[in-house]
Amino acid sequence: VQLQASGGGLVQAGGSLRLSCVASGSTSSINNMGWHRQVPGKERELVASISRGGSTNYADSVKGRFTISRDNGKSTVYLQMNSLKLEDTAVYYCEADWTVVRDWGDQVGRSWGQGTLVTVSS
């Protein structure tokens, strides 16, 4: 599974951005998808995740402001970010968890997109 993220950019505090991430390859093997973010000197953190059936999970810091969604037909996951704050500035990475049935059993893995920079200015 390969992932291509887009949609990052520069936005003023209080503004909105929408990130997109398109999966290719064995997309039927994808289970959960999500967005993570990372700032220099800090560990990558989970922002939001969504199951294939649409169940969602959010970091406390983004609840009520960010919305994750996915279109399984388009193999795409989105992150709508509203009311952006300075502390949301980070490189955002999409990821997909997948399972492929092999002769010897299930192979599980996680693929990452290339990262897209979101910069929130005052």
Side-chain angles (χ1 to χ4, degrees), residues 2 4 13 19 25 30 34 52 64 68 84 87 95 100 102 105-106 110 118-119:
Q2 296 79 44
Q4 180 70 42
L19 306 182
I30 296 174
R52 191 170 186 85
I68 189 170
L84 282 160
E87 53 264 40
E95 58 90 0
V100 176
R102 305 293 188 188
D106 289 349
R110 172 171 285 185
V118 172
T119 303

Side-chain angles (χ1 to χ4, degrees), residues 12 38 57 61 65 82 92 116:
Q12 285 192 324
Q38 189 170 25
N57 180 54
S61 59
R65 301 188 298 121
N82 299 329
Y92 285 71
T116 184

